[in-house]
Amino acid sequence: QVQLVQSGAEVRKPGASVKVSCKASGYTFTSYYTSWVRQAPGQSLEWVGMINPSGESTTYAQKFQGRVTVTRDTSTTTVSMELSSLRSDDTAVYYCAFYSLSRKSLDYWGQGTLVTVSS
Amino acid sequence: DIQMTQSPSSLSASVGDRVTISCRASQSIRNYLNWYQQKPGKPPTVLIYVASNLESGVPSRFSGSGSGTDFSLTISGLQPEDFATYYCQQGNSAPYTFGQGTKLEIK
């Protein structure tokens, strides 16, 4: 059974960076891209970016280009997302999720990590 | 980016009702449209993928239809556990944008 376990809540000051990790288990490694989606309080879902199974290719939403980096450690089946130059409107729950190439859907989700940006 | 517009943004209904939520894409997404359900404090879960395919384990009272730019999610015979927020999402091209959500509340 696929399981995605994310790192714990973080608090950062404006201008700082944050790195959130997502450890996966119970799946066929080459089957999924790993996406990151965020949800600000009371708001909808916003797709941030993703990395391919080998970790060699990333795609980011234009809004986050230059501020976000998604990496993959294949030895530990962990994907991480680092967001820099944080602003107060980056305060959100960040989810990792597996994107199925065949179904074009986000099939499995982590539990979410709350990132709070506050001075 | 492809814009996804859901309607209505909120909906009040009773147990046993049939409800329909609509989702419109700003350009054709073929049939790469997914529906998710989210309950407070939990991540979303997929209900329907590729417009009309029911996810394993999801009750058959949920159904999806549409192609191109216009899609809908129908719940026939609402159950208490169905009161949640529903999101559409296009899987056609990155960024894989979501609708703004439809909050389904008990009347």
Side-chain angles (χ1 to χ4, degrees), chain A:
Chain A
Q1 157 178 347
V2 176
Q3 207 170 13
L4 302 178
V5 179
Q6 298 182 222
S7 51
E10 304 273 9
V11 179
R12 294 286 186 272
K13 294 189 183 302
S17 297
V18 69
K19 192 170 187 177
V20 181
S21 67
C22 172
K23 182 169 175 59
S25 62
Y27 73 108
T28 302
F29 191 77
T30 56
S31 299
Y32 294 103
Y33 283 54
T34 304
S35 285
W36 289 89
V37 175
R38 77 177 187 179
Q39 187 171 38
Q43 301 301 307
S44 180
L45 301 157
E46 184 173 32
W47 187 85
V48 176
M50 71 180 180
I51 191 165
N52 74 340
S54 68
E56 295 172 350
S57 175
T58 53
T59 304
Y60 303 124
Q62 182 70 29
K63 175 178 180 176
F64 300 101
Q65 285 276 1
R67 283 210 303 143
V68 67
T69 305
V70 178
T71 55
R72 174 177 228 125
D73 183 339
T74 54
S75 64
T76 62
T77 65
T78 298
V79 172
S80 299
M81 180 210 63
E82 185 168 21
L83 188 63
S84 62
S85 302
L86 289 168
R87 306 184 288 256
S88 58
D89 61 359
D90 290 318
T91 294
V93 175
Y94 289 76
Y95 294 102
C96 63
F98 273 174
Y99 174 77
S100 165
L101 273 182
S102 59
R103 292 165 29 132
K104 308 286 189 184
S105 59
L106 294 165
D107 291 354
Y108 301 99
W109 294 68
Q111 82 276 19
T113 297
L114 176 62
V115 174
T116 302
V117 183
S118 174
S119 56

